[in-house]
Amino acid sequence: MKVVILAGGFGTRLSEYTKLIPKPMVEIGGKPILWHIMNHYARYGYKDFVVALGYKGEVIKNYFLQYYSLGNAFTIDLANNHAEYINEHPVDWRVTLVDTGQGSMTGGRLKRLKDVIGNEDFMCTYGDAVSNVDISRLVDSYHRSGKKAIVTAVHPTARFGELQLDDDGLVRSFKEKPQVNQGWINGGFFVFNPVIFDYIEGDQTTLEREPLERLAVEGELASYRHDGFWQCMDTVRDRDLLNKMWEEGNAPWAK
């Protein structure tokens, strides 16, 4: 099953970094968040990736073109431009990089991949969020549901500290930026039947609007409830938080 990663957005709320690189290339612990997402899928055996490019897509292309040489020691014979690798550490991923347009919306990017994906079920997620969602259980839930699509529902992280107060005004508990216990949001990590392409009109279709709303109305959108870790990287604060977790050895998405 292929894994589609939507990696074409502008990342305007991370403009400190995205003036030069696309959002999925912003690093956590010296590796792009895109790599962290792919590595998570690979741990479950899903290693056939299709990356939907847009804004500064050439940066992502160059990263993967140089991935092998930068990740291994080598001797190069400049006379014939032949490189001989030393103690190689190959990565058995297959990565397809497709330009899906600068101005395409999420649904439009997905539809442009129709011929690459073919007539088979596939997974899809965003290039800016990490999680410890159990991919095997997600796929199993999709198959058991018998629906055309499944979305991972997650609890968002509170922006501010959560207080629980008693009737006397005393603070009964204090949690600094916990995950909200009530309410679910779209956390990405989808599985789709290829019929999803029929729900997308064109480049300006937003996946999260007409296609998913219509599937929900038709009773064809299942949910996989994930109570564990999930964190998007929308702001510099999010980026700093994820890097701090990595540096402290407390990165749930990498375990």
Side-chain angles (χ1 to χ4, degrees):
M1 191 181 291
K2 291 182 173 66
V3 179
V4 172
I5 302 178
L6 300 173
F10 288 95
T12 52
R13 285 183 286 181
L14 267 172
S15 58
E16 292 88 340
Y17 302 98
T18 56
K19 287 179 181 178
L20 300 175
I21 60 174
K23 189 177 180 182
M25 294 302 291
V26 176
E27 293 185 347
I28 303 171
K31 294 277 192 179
I33 189 171
L34 176 61
W35 177 90
H36 288 272
I37 296 166
M38 296 168 76
N39 195 51
H40 178 66
Y41 277 101
R43 283 200 301 274
Y44 288 90
Y46 296 97
K47 303 177 183 181
D48 190 355
F49 300 99
V50 181
V51 185
L53 305 175
Y55 174 70
K56 294 192 179 296
E58 69 278 2
V59 176
I60 299 177
K61 284 184 176 180
N62 286 330
Y63 175 77
F64 285 104
L65 282 171
Q66 301 177 62
Y67 189 92
Y68 199 81
S69 59
L70 293 179
N72 291 280
F74 61 87
T75 300
I76 185 166
D77 185 341
L78 295 178
N80 56 22
N81 196 32
H82 174 73
E84 181 179 336
Y85 290 92
I86 307 168
N87 298 324
E88 296 177 76
H89 302 285
V91 177
D92 58 343
W93 299 357
R94 186 173 187 268
V95 184
T96 302
L97 301 152
V98 181
D99 184 358
T100 55
Q102 286 279 331
S104 297
M105 305 303 286
T106 48
R109 295 192 188 286
L110 192 57
K111 185 143 189 176
R112 286 202 184 197
L113 301 175
K114 181 178 179 179
D115 291 340
V116 176
I117 294 168
N119 190 31
E120 61 180 32
D121 293 342
F122 65 96
M123 287 184 276
C124 179
T125 197
Y126 305 108
D128 62 357
V130 287
S131 175
N132 63 350
V133 60
D134 188 316
I135 301 298
S136 295
R137 290 186 177 182
L138 168 64
V139 173
D140 183 60
S141 293
Y142 166 73
H143 288 307
R144 286 190 289 106
S145 75
K147 303 302 182 182
K148 296 175 181 176
I150 193 168
V151 56
T152 298
V154 300
H155 293 300
T157 301
R159 186 173 176 82
F160 304 102
E162 178 184 78
L163 304 180
Q164 291 187 2
L165 310 179
D166 64 18
D167 293 338
D168 296 324
L170 295 175
V171 177
R172 291 167 50 199
S173 72
F174 183 99
K175 296 180 182 178
E176 178 62 10
K177 299 181 178 64
Q179 283 192 303
V180 178
N181 291 323
Q182 282 80 34
W184 297 90
I185 65 169
N186 165 23
F189 296 94
F190 303 94
V191 185
F192 290 124
N193 181 287
V195 73
I196 186 66
F197 296 119
D198 297 334
Y199 288 73
I200 302 171
E201 184 174 345
D203 283 353
Q204 295 308 304
T205 302
T206 301
L207 176 65
E208 301 77 12
R209 295 297 298 272
E210 295 91 346
L212 294 184
E213 289 176 359
R214 184 176 155 197
L215 283 169
V217 169
E218 294 175 357
E220 288 292 339
L221 179 60
S223 68
Y224 176 75
R225 297 189 181 191
H226 175 62
D227 285 307
F229 176 83
W230 178 89
Q231 177 65 54
C232 63
M233 189 173 64
D234 278 340
T235 65
V236 173
R237 179 181 297 177
D238 296 333
R239 181 256 180 198
D240 291 345
L241 170 65
L242 291 169
N243 271 282
K244 182 180 179 183
M245 295 176 75
W246 181 268
E247 291 164 4
E248 293 176 347
N250 180 32
W253 67 90
K255 297 179 180 178

